[in-house]
């Protein structure tokens, strides 16, 4: 189990053009993250984490848009993030493991002036694996609900966002030599 609490104040100096005085921009953020993992039994494990972030530009000049954007939230910073997972192994007294995971990311802004908001999203993932003496074979289903989501944006391309992967089935084989 772990808990992290923080407060960060970042200052930077800028000059819009050679005739202007040097000004200061600042960004403040504070928050915490709690994470834990617990082995309920020899065959059952679960874990998760939760993070809360409160970030804001104080008096900030954004050179990309050429504007002061004080009292705005920085790009790609969700206020809440949550993950949880569960796995069970030795199913039916066989070397089989099954697991599921859940991820939540709250809404966040795609630009520094906070006029474009990326919606919150939730992902559900699952896997099943069989482990032999010298191998592990697994099949995973990522984004089981086929959620359409944008995990992040790039301030240099304000009219574009990166879309997350659709439902995907992966098979893997790990060999031990």
């Amino acid at each position: 189990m772990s808990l992290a609490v923080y407060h960060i104040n970042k200052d930077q100096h800028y000059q819009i053009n050679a005739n202007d005085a040097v000004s200061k921009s600042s960004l403040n953020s504070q928050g915490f993250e709690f994470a834990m993992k617990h082995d309920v039994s020899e065959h059952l494990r679960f874990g998760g984490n939760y993070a809360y972030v409160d970030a804001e530009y104080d008096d900030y000049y954004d050179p990309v848009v050429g504007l002061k954007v004080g009292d705005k939230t920085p790009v790609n910073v969700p206020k809440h993030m949550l993950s949880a997972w569960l796995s069970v192994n030795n199913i039916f007294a066989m070397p089989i493991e099954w697991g599921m995971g859940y991820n939540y990311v709250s809404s966040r802004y795609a630009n520094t002036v906070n006029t474009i908001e990326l919606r919150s999203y939730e992902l559900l993932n699952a896997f099943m694996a069989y482990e032999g003496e010298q191998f592990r074979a697994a099949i995973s289903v990522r984004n089981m609900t086929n959620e359409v989501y944008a995990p992040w944006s790039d301030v240099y391309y304000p009219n574009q966002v990166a879309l997350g992967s659709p439902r995907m089935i992966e098979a893997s084989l790990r060999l031990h030599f």
Side-chain angles (χ1 to χ4, degrees):
M1 191 176 336
S2 67
L3 174 66
V5 179
Y6 66 90
H7 176 84
I8 300 170
N9 185 358
K10 178 182 175 185
D11 293 326
Q12 69 181 29
H13 299 279
Y14 68 90
Q15 190 171 14
I16 296 174
N17 62 50
N19 297 327
D20 288 337
V22 174
S23 297
K24 182 176 99 171
S25 285
S26 63
L27 164 66
N28 288 302
S29 62
Q30 52 273 333
F32 68 90
E33 180 174 2
F34 173 74
M36 57 96 50
K37 174 184 171 273
H38 182 63
D39 294 341
V40 177
S41 70
E42 183 181 344
H43 305 292
L44 177 64
R45 295 183 303 272
F46 74 90
N49 69 314
Y50 171 75
Y52 171 79
V53 178
D54 180 22
E56 184 177 273
Y57 293 118
D58 284 338
D59 182 22
Y60 186 79
Y61 174 76
D62 181 0
V64 174
V65 295
L67 296 171
K68 282 193 169 197
V69 289
D71 299 326
K72 302 292 184 191
T73 301
V75 175
N76 296 317
V77 177
K79 199 168 271 299
H80 306 277
M81 292 187 300
L82 173 72
S83 294
W85 58 267
L86 171 76
S87 72
V88 180
N89 64 13
N90 204 24
I91 298 173
F92 305 118
M94 297 176 64
I96 296 174
E97 182 179 11
W98 173 86
M100 291 196 78
Y102 168 82
N103 296 325
Y104 168 78
V105 177
S106 67
S107 63
R108 58 250 169 263
Y109 292 105
N111 60 357
T112 51
V113 292
N114 292 176
T115 56
I116 301 171
E117 186 174 331
L118 301 177
R119 293 182 307 189
S120 64
Y121 63 90
E122 299 174 88
L123 299 177
L124 188 60
N125 306 305
F127 76 93
M128 184 169 276
Y130 181 89
E131 189 153 354
E133 283 187 36
Q134 293 189 297
F135 71 94
R136 177 181 167 95
I139 188 160
S140 300
V141 182
R142 301 193 187 281
N143 190 4
M144 290 176 61
T145 60
N146 205 24
E147 174 97 3
V148 176
Y149 66 102
W152 67 280
S153 65
D154 187 333
V155 294
Y156 295 104
Y157 299 95
N159 297 327
Q160 301 175 23
V161 296
L163 292 179
S165 297
R167 181 183 307 118
M168 181 172 28
I169 299 174
E170 299 174 333
S172 65
L173 177 64
R174 185 175 67 204
L175 301 173
H176 306 281
F177 295 98

